[in-house]
Amino acid sequence: MAVDPRLEQRHPDIGRWSGRLQELAEATGLSLRQLSEHVPWSPSTLSRYLSGERVVDEAWLLASKLIDLAHRRGTPVDVRSDELHLLYQQARKAYQQQRRSARGKADQVGESAATAPTSSDVGLPERPAEQPVVASSGQPNATEPATDSSEQPNATPPAPSPDTPATATSEQSDAAPEPPSSPDARPARRSRRPFVLALATAVAVAAVAAAVWASLLWLRPQTVVWRANIVGTWSAQHQQHLGVFRFRTPDVPGDTDKATYHEGTAVSIVCQARHRRVVSDPTTGQSSPVWNRLSDGYWIPDLYTDLPKVTGEAPPLGIPLC
């Protein structure tokens, strides 16, 4: 199948992944609407995954479902899980780089828009200071009363007459000086300094602890999981879906806590074991020695998942061996 040239122009890795995914979809012989009836995605979402518009974990899970659907419909595809996984990893890396680049350009546009002067700040003269309103006669406006010369600060006070007693001068000279401010004010101000210093120290310690904790979380290895759904639990004897038990170990038949994963339940798989206890289904007559370890530490038979059933020593889709 030819790869969309627009995808090749955008990034070759995304184009190659999209082309391979479209080949798997064509092998099923189903349209997008028909395909959406077998997977938990709408036709529009499937179109974005197949075109390479979104290269996310769900697109990788779609690849496994397409392989399984093609096998079920009698059109097995020749695909190597390691090569397919490498295509996905390369496309995923290119997709993430494009998203980071787009976010960086958006931030630059936002910063330039925020710092650009507005039209109200450009080309407007400064407003002159307000001047007093003056009448045509040159005198202040009637709305503002004229200032009496006796009230002006530069006016010379009248000289005291000889008959005026000097009691005012003697009272001013004999008046007691103003008492100094209370001595308790400065110690109270100083008493707040230890509290401020203690608060600043606590904030600094909390910031350092948060940074150390964040770095530990960042350095902690993240567990990679593969999504799958529980399928094939229909019992012809009971005429209903029985689900599947989760086991503490795949080698002991009764080592289960009786918890059941129902039909259609999504599970997270971290690794796969290829040669363990054989499980047989009485309704279909199929059997398998393959077991999947889940992210919660329990085990389930691979016979009851929708992962591709492949032969050989390597699990499908790049799942590591347990």
Side-chain angles (χ1 to χ4, degrees):
M1 176 179 179
V3 179
D4 190 343
R6 291 176 300 178
L7 296 178
E8 289 289 356
Q9 293 176 5
R10 185 171 59 178
H11 200 285
D13 292 338
I14 297 178
R16 284 189 290 269
W17 162 253
S18 171
R20 192 67 173 119
L21 204 58
Q22 291 179 22
E23 291 176 358
L24 296 177
E26 288 184 357
T28 64
L30 301 174
S31 64
L32 283 180
R33 186 170 299 277
Q34 293 171 336
L35 191 59
S36 65
E37 298 175 358
H38 298 271
V39 295
W41 300 294
S42 64
S44 59
T45 302
L46 287 175
S47 177
R48 287 193 288 269
Y49 293 161
L50 293 174
S51 64
E53 182 180 346
R54 294 192 62 194
V55 186
V56 292
D57 292 339
E58 286 77 5
W60 171 246
L61 180 58
L62 173 62
S64 66
K65 294 184 179 298
L66 292 176
I67 295 173
D68 188 50
L69 278 173
H71 280 272
R72 291 184 182 183
R73 295 178 62 84
T75 313
V77 291
D78 184 16
V79 57
R80 290 184 54 182
S81 59
D82 54 346
E83 293 180 355
L84 186 63
H85 192 254
L86 179 60
L87 282 179
Y88 168 74
Q89 287 179 327
Q90 293 172 345
R92 175 70 170 171
K93 182 178 179 180
Y95 174 75
Q96 292 175 343
Q97 290 176 349
Q98 288 181 344
R99 287 179 60 86
R100 285 194 295 266
S101 177
R103 282 195 297 265
K105 292 180 180 179
D107 293 341
Q108 292 178 359
V109 172
E111 291 177 358
S112 61
T115 56
T118 60
S119 58
S120 59
D121 298 332
V122 179
L124 295 181
E126 295 184 357
R127 185 177 180 181
E130 296 184 357
Q131 301 295 334
V133 179
V134 181
S136 58
S137 61
Q139 299 296 328
N141 197 311
T143 58
E144 298 182 1
T147 304
D148 191 0
S149 61
S150 62
E151 297 178 357
Q152 296 179 358
N154 295 330
T156 304
S161 63
D163 299 334
T164 303
T167 55
T169 305
S170 62
E171 289 177 359
Q172 292 177 359
S173 60
D174 296 335
E178 183 179 357
S181 59
S182 175
D184 297 334
R186 184 168 298 177
R189 184 181 304 172
R190 291 177 179 176
S191 63
R192 290 195 297 268
R193 291 183 179 178
F195 173 76
V196 174
L197 291 176
L199 180 61
T201 304
V203 171
V205 171
V208 172
V212 172
W213 178 252
S215 63
L216 291 176
L217 290 178
W218 177 260
L219 295 175
R220 186 179 61 183
Q222 301 296 323
T223 302
V224 179
V225 298
W226 281 258
R227 302 289 182 180
N229 294 323
I230 301 298
V231 296
T233 64
W234 176 261
S235 172
Q237 178 183 358
H238 300 86
Q239 290 298 303
Q240 62 178 351
H241 290 287
L242 298 181
V244 60
F245 286 127
R246 64 182 190 183
F247 293 80
R248 296 185 180 89
T249 175
D251 300 319
V252 181
D255 193 5
T256 175
D257 61 354
K258 304 303 180 182
T260 304
Y261 295 109
H262 300 287
E263 180 81 11
T265 302
V267 293
S268 301
I269 299 171
V270 297
C271 62
Q272 188 177 90
R274 305 288 290 173
H275 302 284
R276 306 301 281 268
R277 180 169 62 91
V278 178
V279 176
S280 300
D281 183 82
T283 300
T284 62
Q286 297 179 351
S287 60
S288 174
V290 180
W291 286 74
N292 298 317
R293 184 177 178 85
L294 306 182
S295 58
D296 57 11
Y298 288 94
W299 294 79
I300 59 173
D302 183 65
L303 186 64
Y304 298 106
T305 70
D306 60 355
L307 290 179
K309 312 307 180 203
V310 297
T311 59
E313 298 298 325
L317 305 179
I319 301 175
L321 288 170
C322 295

